[in-house]
Amino acid sequence: AQSVSQHNHHVILSEAASLELGCNYSYGGTVNLFWYVQYPGQHLQLLLKYFSGDPLVKGIKGFEAEFIKSKFSFNLRKPSVQWSDTAEYFCAVKDTDKLIFGTGTRLQVFP
Amino acid sequence: DAEITQSPRHKITETGRQVTLACHQTWNHNNMFWYRQDLGHGLRLIHYSYGVQDTNKGEVSDGYSVSRSNTEDLPLTLESAASSQTSVYFCASAGQANEQFFGPGTRLTVL
């Protein structure tokens, strides 16, 4: 079965800093990959997803992610974070019709 | 607008009691899921269903059960609540594209 690793458990940044959150999945073939965000006290919302095609995926709120098949990675990036990006971020991979989630990365952005 | 709702939003119960958490979606999705979210573990799949009368065990199904008598609802039952089941519970549903839509969550405390 698939598994997902998010190596950054807690990231602290100042506003305007660049962000990259790591995500690695366990094995290849055709993969569907997702990044979800959970703002404090809220439910998970989809940031972006990759099914096929262009490996550089644009999402909402200025986020993007790059699928690198050779590295089994799907890292999330944002060139300039804002205080409002403070949240928990989850990477997920589809396994049959289920999603397997990573343990999440907590991002804190200070003004 | 289609949505997914959960009730109650907060619940305090005692060890040994039976508890049922409701999940209702108006997306007309066949696939529905229950997760629990705990610090350091991310989201873990409890049970899932691919359609009416279909239920499947997830990663952490012990002590939980679900039933699917219609498309819209997937109630989660804790047969005999334990303190280890104190958690935040999220329901999700997914259509053909496997993008999961999450409910607002239920915070359950077992004393």
Side-chain angles (χ1 to χ4, degrees), chain B:
Chain B
D1 285 348
E3 62 177 356
I4 179 165
T5 56
Q6 293 182 234
S7 63
R9 297 294 312 278
H10 302 272
K11 174 78 176 177
I12 300 174
T13 190
E14 294 176 342
T15 301
R17 289 192 180 269
Q18 184 182 80
V19 176
T20 297
L21 309 183
C23 174
H24 179 82
Q25 54 100 1
T26 58
W27 292 95
N28 200 34
H29 287 157
N30 284 326
N31 299 350
M32 295 184 72
F33 307 85
W34 272 104
Y35 297 90
R36 60 178 289 174
Q37 184 179 27
D38 304 286
L39 199 63
H41 292 278
L43 278 89
R44 293 181 290 175
L45 185 63
I46 305 172
H47 281 286
Y48 58 101
S49 168
Y50 290 148
V52 177
Q53 303 301 334
D54 175 75
T55 62
N56 306 279
K57 293 183 178 180
E59 179 188 1
V60 290
S61 60
D62 286 351
Y64 303 94
S65 63
V66 292
S67 60
R68 188 87 181 271
S69 58
N70 58 53
T71 301
E72 296 80 17
D73 299 290
L74 186 71
L76 177 73
T77 297
L78 287 68
E79 301 294 343
S80 177
S83 57
S84 60
Q85 294 177 307
T86 292
S87 186
V88 180
Y89 292 85
F90 286 99
C91 179
S93 71
Q96 299 277 5
N98 287 113
E99 175 184 336
Q100 292 193 11
F101 296 86
F102 284 81
T106 294
R107 184 173 295 274
L108 176 67
T109 301
V110 182
L111 300 176

Side-chain angles (χ1 to χ4, degrees), chain A residues 12-41:
Chain A
I12 301 173
L13 294 173
S14 298
E15 274 192 321
S18 64
L19 170 72
E20 182 160 2
L21 302 182
C23 172
N24 289 91
Y25 57 96
S26 57
Y27 64 83
T30 302
V31 286
N32 296 158
L33 295 155
F34 305 80
W35 275 99
Y36 282 83
V37 61
Q38 185 179 28
Y39 297 104

